[in-house]
Amino acid sequence: MPNQKRRKDVRNLAIIAHVDHGKTTLVDALLKYTGAYEFKEGEIAVMDSNPLEKERGITILSKNASIQYKGVQFNLVDTPGHADFGSEVERILKMVDGVLLLVDASEGPMPQTKFVLKKSLELHLKPILVINKLDRANVRPDEVADMTFDLFCELNASDEQLDFPIVYASGKDGYATLDLDEPSDSMKPLLETILHRVLPPIANPDLPFQMLVTMLDYDSYVGRIAIGRVFHGSVRVGDPVALVKRDGTIAGGKATKIMKYRGLSRIEVDEAIAGDIISISGIEDVEVGETLTCIDEPKGLPAIKIDEPTISMNFSHNTSPLAGKDGGRFLTSRHMRERLEHEAMINVGVKVEEVVGTKRLKVSGRGELHLAILIETMRREGYEMEVSKPQVILKKMGSQTLEPVEEVIIEVENEYQGVVMQALGARKAQMRDLKTTSSGASRMEFVIASRALIGFRSEFLMMTRGSGIMYQNFLEYQTYKGDMPARQSGVLISHGCGDAVAYALYNLQARGEIFVKPGEKLYEGMIVGVNNKGNDLVVNALREKKLTNMRAAGSDDAIALIPPRQMTLEFALEFIENDEMVEITPKHIRLRKLHLTEVDRKRVSRRAQST
């Protein structure tokens, strides 16, 4: 390209890592050191602004921040650490010229480390390795550095990429050093490494304007906001711009507002030039992966390749007898459709389709967690809905059926190794590796169908007494693996409507785990517990004790109920079968049968047997 120049006053970089390896805490330390953000007392993880992110301690949405160091602007992008949000990672890496690869100084590289590193190497980015969390016990930084180098080799990194600098850091304590024998009390060594090792962006203001849209936001006042990096040229407020769509068609628009990042805030500016990461409004119907360009020479940049969804669920408005009684504000299928279409517009990993002949919508995403986060967000916004059991998305290739397969890494104490291997063996998992960690635990690596993992996590936590650690990551599509073991237990189904009674629940708890507590509202077809015998059973959870004049010693003692299971969205989605649904309201999560009356269930069962 002629007159290729680089802007010396800007560095664009992304921070990538496995879940909980300290990305957001490291950004805190950089913001604090450079004075880009005024921290309030006790405030931490300021980039995780979403309430769900704060509760779960994970980054869900990519976010931008900007810091100044020695007159150079560092544009930082914090990316999600979970594979289910991989579509966010893929887009962000298109905006930057370098990456900070964070690895826990104790745990070492994990599955998601491999995923995000692979994406960055494919885009020919040069990583800076940050071995983080030196404040932890049992750290092994030298061993972790060797393990990470092996991972680079496994991913076919080029010689140039293998020559990566190593920075040792503790985001929590706010220091970084290039040498473990030379202690440091600030983040200066890391900032110096970024300054000298991350390439300045190519920026030629003389070329026609081109910007790749990598994220979308929405404002009720200005409409859609396109976020991305200006690759060439410049744009001013009021300039007419062309939108080059994915199919090559061209639409028009006008830059009504341009914003850059300062600290964690967006500030309005009059002009943006090549190398800047900006937000721009005024262009209708803009989508992720499209190009905003000069209206005189509308040329599109290469579109972003994004991995396809692997899991789908059916969503519908709440049809239970308790609909609208739990504080929900959005109760109709129209509300549901509008909200999901809005989500699909700004979240490129989500796909929404009609289910023919019903009012249901098929929503596809990158994994159970991806869809669970969407459901939880909608629930907190006041939506009431019903969702079906997650199903994997199968592909046809010629005469073969393919299904998504994941690599799973499990770390357990040695005493649980056998029972975990047996459980995964029954689910047709293939073991790839088994080794003992420095702490003496067993680390096992498996390849297993995504379908077989639905419902396994809660079972895994029970068999390891809550001590096991499990990481999973989408690998590829492989040949269909055949039938998988289904849930072994049946369910207890309420026969009528009313309030659950302690006396009735006391008599039912011998059959299996109970999901409801005394006084809770029930309706016909609602699932109130587990039947360990394996078949579904209609029960009376509303029955009260008959009153008589007779009294016997000990018979009228207080009823001792086992505390019911605290219903969570993750457990509910894993537990249900194909003829069951999860009812979600702002206040409750309930399980129910798809067909509420026993007559309807028998009719459907007979029809299925006859076909």
Side-chain angles (χ1 to χ4, degrees), residues 268-559:
E268 289 192 41
V269 294
D270 294 327
E271 183 183 27
I273 60 175
D276 287 334
I277 292 176
I278 63 168
S279 303
I280 186 168
S281 59
I283 297 89
E284 291 292 323
D285 300 324
V286 61
E287 301 282 353
V288 168
E290 297 173 349
T291 305
L292 296 178
T293 180
C294 169
I295 203 155
D296 299 325
E297 294 184 53
K299 291 182 181 176
L301 291 162
I304 302 170
K305 178 187 172 293
I306 295 167
D307 288 349
E308 296 176 12
T310 57
I311 295 276
S312 69
M313 294 162 63
N314 289 341
F315 282 54
S316 74
H317 64 291
N318 190 3
T319 60
S320 91
L322 298 179
K325 297 181 180 178
D326 270 355
R329 294 184 296 125
F330 305 107
L331 307 173
T332 66
S333 55
R334 179 179 61 83
H335 286 135
M336 176 80 56
R337 184 184 308 277
E338 288 173 356
R339 176 64 180 84
L340 289 171
E341 285 173 352
H342 174 77
E343 184 69 25
M345 180 183 77
I346 61 174
N347 186 342
V348 76
V350 169
K351 185 178 176 185
V352 180
E353 304 164 276
E354 296 273 354
V355 178
V356 181
T358 70
K359 290 187 177 181
R360 300 184 188 282
L361 293 169
K362 180 183 175 184
V363 182
S364 306
R366 289 291 297 271
E368 275 183 274
L369 179 64
H370 190 196
L371 294 178
I373 292 291
L374 170 59
I375 294 167
E376 185 64 32
T377 304
M378 290 175 65
R379 173 192 179 197
R380 294 179 184 211
E381 291 170 359
Y383 287 84
E384 289 195 15
M385 71 201 94
E386 296 169 351
V387 298
S388 68
K389 180 181 176 68
Q391 303 284 354
V392 299
I393 298 171
L394 304 176
K395 284 184 179 180
K396 281 280 186 186
M397 188 173 286
S399 60
Q400 277 194 322
T401 301
L402 305 180
E403 68 173 328
V405 167
E406 306 198 14
E407 58 179 352
V408 176
I409 291 184
I410 286 177
E411 202 168 296
V412 294
E413 295 171 23
N414 289 330
E415 61 188 287
Y416 303 123
Q417 178 184 321
V419 69
V420 170
M421 289 174 67
Q422 185 177 354
L424 285 173
R427 293 169 181 259
K428 302 184 180 177
Q430 298 174 332
M431 179 178 273
R432 290 206 307 197
D433 194 19
L434 170 62
K435 54 190 168 191
T436 304
T437 66
S438 57
S439 60
S442 295
R443 181 180 288 188
M444 299 171 278
E445 189 173 331
F446 296 90
V447 173
I448 184 171
S450 303
R451 189 165 45 99
L453 284 175
I454 295 173
F456 177 69
R457 187 174 291 273
S458 52
E459 186 183 321
F460 169 73
L461 289 173
M462 287 176 66
M463 68 176 67
T464 61
R465 306 291 190 271
S467 65
I469 300 171
M470 183 172 103
Y471 302 104
Q472 61 193 82
N473 189 34
F474 172 73
L475 182 62
E476 61 186 0
Y477 269 83
Q478 291 183 2
T479 311
Y480 189 72
K481 309 291 182 188
D483 294 336
M484 294 290 174
R487 188 181 73 201
Q488 299 300 306
S489 57
V491 290
L492 304 175
I493 307 164
S494 173
H495 91 300
C497 302
D499 295 346
V501 175
Y503 175 73
L505 296 178
Y506 175 74
N507 290 315
L508 291 176
Q509 67 185 7
R511 294 184 175 275
E513 189 175 22
I514 301 297
F515 295 156
V516 296
K517 57 181 183 288
E520 197 168 320
K521 296 284 183 191
L522 307 181
Y523 55 82
E524 184 179 6
M526 180 174 160
I527 296 171
V528 298
V530 176
N531 182 20
N532 290 334
K533 289 195 173 177
N535 59 312
D536 292 349
L537 188 65
V538 177
V539 297
N540 184 357
L542 313 171
R543 183 163 63 97
E544 297 185 355
K545 184 177 182 182
K546 294 284 186 281
L547 296 177
T548 69
N549 289 328
M550 301 296 292
R551 293 290 180 269
S555 64
D556 291 325
D557 287 350
I559 291 172

Side-chain angles (χ1 to χ4, degrees), residues 76-90:
L76 306 172
V77 192
D78 186 15
T79 62
H82 197 286
D84 283 8
F85 307 104
S87 54
E88 296 268 339
V89 178
E90 293 159 64

Side-chain angles (χ1 to χ4, degrees), residues 13-30:
L13 69 151
I15 303 180
I16 59 177
H18 186 80
V19 178
D20 200 32
H21 277 199
K23 297 181 303 301
T24 311
T25 310
L26 190 80
V27 174
D28 280 358
L30 293 172

